[in-house]
Amino acid sequence: MTVYSGSAHRSLRLSLRPTLRLRLTLLNGILLVGAGAILVLLAWLLVSDAMGSGEALRSGTRVMLENGETRDAVEWQSTLVSQASQEVLVKGLVALLAIGIIGTAGAYAVAGRALRPLHAVTQTARRLGEETLDQRIRYSGADDEVAELARTFDAMLDRLAGAFESQKRFVANASHELRTPLAVMRTEIDVTLSDDEADVAEYRRMAKVVRNASERANGLVDALLVLARSEAQSGRRLVRKVPADLAISVTNALSAVRAEAERLKLQVTTDLQPASVVGDPSLLDRLAGNLIENAIRYNHLLGSLWLRTSTVGGQAVLVVGNTGYEVEPADVPGLFEPFRRGGWERTGSRGSGLGLSIVRAVCDAHGGTVSAVAQDGGGLEVTVKLPTADATPVVAATAAVKRAKGLGVG
């Protein structure tokens, strides 16, 4: 007994299924032969009607043929009509057969030429891999549906290539950020253990360095987890949707960093009006916390920090502004990318460089937007807009980063 696998059955069905080229050819052939058959039938009917509709000859009337023979006129007329109809029918069917064969062959060739770009799409898709994402179809034929498909496929490959490149860059940066505190811990431990004269004070110093490095690594891992969680819930696919208030999130975040703000002697101004939304409170708290932490971290002594929440036009608005460093206008969108720190990238400075990336991901998950505007003399004002609790839920959204004149955060 022979047993056939499911894949074998699928292959058999695929082999028996007519291709698009064959189906187009058959359709064209059927239409061509059908139209020809109708023309032949009409010609046959017209000839029969034209020759049989003349004035009827009286019975007994004789006609003389070219060879001198005489025949009954009615019989001669009937024979002539029959012969003409038969000749039209036979010649018409022969012509129809020839036209059908030639037309079907031509349709097969034309369909193959028209579908050639589709084969190019298939061949390109089969060759695609992580190392061949630079290949494109680059169709140069007529501006038709096939050209539109080819352009769409090329645009999709551009997006995929960008996503792969961004992923590679993200992994490389994350590896670098994690490697730095681990290298610090290992170096401190090795140096201390190799010193035979190290005392308790030296071990205490080493322990503090290791603890600080471990806290940095732990903070980076936590930030990566929050970023991954936020991006996984983008487009209003939130796992948790409960009523929340941005004003409460700002109040909680501000109380957590009050000591640091007092240390820098910052002038904090707040105008917190109710701003009700529906979403994940933990993500919204992280959004407010990251903005306020950045506003303090990249501020300067005796600087300013202002916070506002409100509801405007069916949107809950959160504004966090600060004085601080100046950044080139071209660097504004890049600050919302992972591992960018207000002009310093991968330098081991304060923070993990994921703060604004998490803000953008959380905004996207809640169907909102985030924008940044530079302040004269340095600093930044970030504005977050989310749909209010009573607004129509957004099915999908993109947290667009608007270009500004310059800023200074990370």
Side-chain angles (χ1 to χ4, degrees):
M1 179 178 66
T2 304
V3 178
Y4 296 96
S5 64
S7 58
H9 286 295
R10 286 193 297 270
S11 300
L12 180 60
R13 288 196 301 268
L14 290 175
S15 62
L16 295 178
R17 186 180 63 183
T19 62
L20 178 59
R21 182 180 184 182
L22 181 58
R23 282 181 285 173
L24 290 175
T25 302
L26 291 176
L27 178 61
N28 184 82
I30 291 173
L31 293 176
L32 184 62
V33 172
I38 293 175
L39 291 176
V40 171
L41 178 62
L42 289 175
W44 179 73
L45 292 175
L46 289 174
V47 170
S48 300
D49 184 69
M51 297 190 67
S53 63
E55 184 179 354
L57 298 174
R58 290 179 296 175
S59 179
T61 304
R62 308 288 294 181
V63 295
M64 182 178 290
L65 305 180
E66 292 181 356
N67 57 4
E69 180 182 358
T70 61
R71 294 183 59 183
D72 183 74
V74 175
E75 180 183 353
W76 172 79
Q77 185 183 25
S78 177
T79 302
L80 186 61
V81 171
S82 177
Q83 289 178 349
S85 300
Q86 184 177 3
E87 185 175 359
V88 169
L89 186 60
V90 171
K91 291 184 177 180
L93 291 177
V94 172
L96 180 62
L97 179 62
I99 292 175
I101 295 175
I102 296 174
T104 302
Y108 186 80
V110 171
R113 184 176 183 84
L115 295 175
R116 191 176 300 167
L118 297 181
H119 294 298
V121 172
T122 304
Q123 297 286 338
T124 304
R126 288 175 178 171
R127 292 194 304 267
L128 281 181
E130 188 175 350
E131 304 299 329
T132 58
L133 283 178
D134 59 332
Q135 297 185 11
R136 299 293 183 271
I137 299 174
R138 294 185 175 89
Y139 179 70
S140 59
D143 189 12
D144 52 10
E145 290 80 0
V146 176
E148 183 179 1
L149 174 62
R151 288 195 297 267
T152 303
F153 192 82
D154 286 344
M156 180 192 69
L157 292 180
D158 291 337
R159 292 192 297 270
L160 286 176
F164 271 97
E165 186 63 29
S166 177
Q167 184 184 47
K168 289 180 180 179
R169 188 166 55 250
F170 180 86
V171 171
N173 289 334
S175 300
H176 173 85
E177 296 292 338
L178 285 172
R179 188 183 298 115
T180 300
L182 295 177
V184 170
M185 287 188 286
R186 181 174 180 177
T187 300
E188 286 294 329
I189 294 173
D190 289 343
V191 170
T192 304
L193 292 178
S194 63
D195 187 2
D196 296 334
E197 299 180 356
D199 53 9
V200 175
E202 183 65 20
Y203 278 99
R204 285 183 177 275
R205 186 200 62 79
M206 181 266 292
K208 291 181 179 179
V209 173
V210 171
R211 184 188 62 183
N212 293 335
S214 64
E215 288 178 351
R216 178 182 173 186
N218 185 70
L220 177 60
V221 172
D222 289 342
L224 289 172
L225 291 175
V226 173
L227 180 60
R229 176 187 170 195
S230 303
E231 291 181 341
Q233 300 183 83
S234 62
R236 295 291 286 188
R237 297 192 303 270
L238 289 170
V239 176
R240 187 182 181 194
K241 295 182 180 180
V242 298
D245 194 331
L246 292 181
I248 297 177
S249 297
V250 171
T251 301
N252 296 336
L254 185 60
S255 63
V257 295
R258 180 75 66 178
E260 181 67 12
E262 292 177 353
R263 186 185 67 84
L264 292 176
K265 299 181 180 179
L266 299 180
Q267 180 182 357
V268 181
T269 304
T270 60
D271 181 12
L272 304 180
Q273 303 296 326
S276 300
V277 297
V278 174
D280 190 327
S282 62
L283 292 180
L284 294 174
D285 288 346
R286 178 57 70 96
L287 178 148
N290 284 357
L291 289 177
I292 295 175
E293 289 173 6
N294 279 343
I296 294 177
R297 178 180 296 125
Y298 294 95
N299 216 315
H300 53 69
L301 188 64
L302 301 177
S304 299
L305 170 65
W306 57 95
L307 309 168
R308 298 194 302 270
T309 58
S310 60
T311 301
V312 180
Q315 289 185 317
V317 180
L318 165 62
V319 177
V320 178
N322 65 282
T323 55
Y325 302 99
E326 293 186 5
V327 177
E328 293 295 329
D331 294 337
V332 174
L335 292 174
F336 288 84
E337 298 298 325
F339 304 106
R340 298 295 295 270
R341 302 186 182 91
W344 298 280
E345 185 175 7
R346 297 176 58 184
T347 60
S349 59
R350 296 170 295 175
S352 62
L354 294 173
L356 291 183
S357 299
I358 293 175
V359 168
R360 184 177 64 175
V362 173
C363 286
D364 186 71
H366 288 78
T369 60
V370 57
S371 60
V373 178
Q375 303 300 300
D376 295 336
L380 177 74
E381 184 177 86
V382 179
T383 302
V384 171
K385 296 182 179 181
L386 303 179
T388 56
D390 56 352
T392 303
V394 179
V395 176
T398 299
V401 180
K402 301 177 182 178
R403 285 190 173 274
K405 295 181 295 182
L407 63 97
V409 307

